[in-house]
Amino acid sequence: MHELSLAIEIADMLQAHAHELSRITRVTLDIGTLSCVDEAALRTALSAALHGTLAEQADLVVQTIEARADCQDCGQHFSPASRIDPCPACGSFHKAWLAGQDFKVRSVEGLPPS
């Protein structure tokens, strides 16, 4: 379950904001549909990893990033459901990924120190 290691990395990254925020109120994540990150497992892992931190009560907002690709043979733009889906226009498997494979922390919001 790599979601636990991702949650620990996120918790460590958020703790780095302790000098500029008294409490983190919202964390927004981008999770690509092909990123191999299970959102439910990540939420569970984050609940444990953020316990006792300045982000313990933070709202977790997840933005799902749909997979998008360009066919390298015919130029068709398409949204494959999996990594192995061929181009729907020409059947080619040669594609350049435009979106949907990434996982990142998009933003962190919080309260300034009192």
Side-chain angles (χ1 to χ4, degrees):
M1 176 172 170
H2 70 271
E3 285 80 4
L4 181 56
S5 61
L6 291 172
I8 291 168
E9 289 289 328
I10 291 169
D12 289 345
M13 184 200 73
L14 294 176
Q15 278 305 117
H17 290 279
H19 68 282
E20 60 193 47
L21 298 172
S22 63
R23 186 166 74 91
I24 293 176
T25 57
R26 179 185 302 243
V27 177
T28 303
L29 304 174
D30 287 350
I31 301 179
T33 56
L34 300 179
S35 67
C36 299
V37 175
D38 181 274
E39 181 181 341
L42 180 64
R43 285 181 181 276
T44 299
L46 276 170
S47 178
L50 297 177
H51 182 74
T53 71
L54 70 152
E56 181 173 12
Q57 299 297 319
D59 290 328
L60 180 62
V61 178
V62 173
Q63 297 180 347
T64 301
I65 308 300
E66 295 299 321
R68 290 184 304 131
D70 277 343
C71 178
Q72 297 294 285
D73 292 330
C74 74
Q76 175 77 27
H77 300 291
F78 64 105
S79 296
S82 74
R83 293 180 184 277
I84 61 171
D85 284 357
C87 172
C90 73
S92 171
F93 289 95
H94 300 110
K95 55 186 157 279
W97 293 106
L98 304 174
Q101 297 189 102
D102 46 345
F103 170 80
K104 67 180 178 181
V105 176
R106 175 172 290 278
S107 65
V108 176
E109 299 173 33
L111 303 174
S114 319

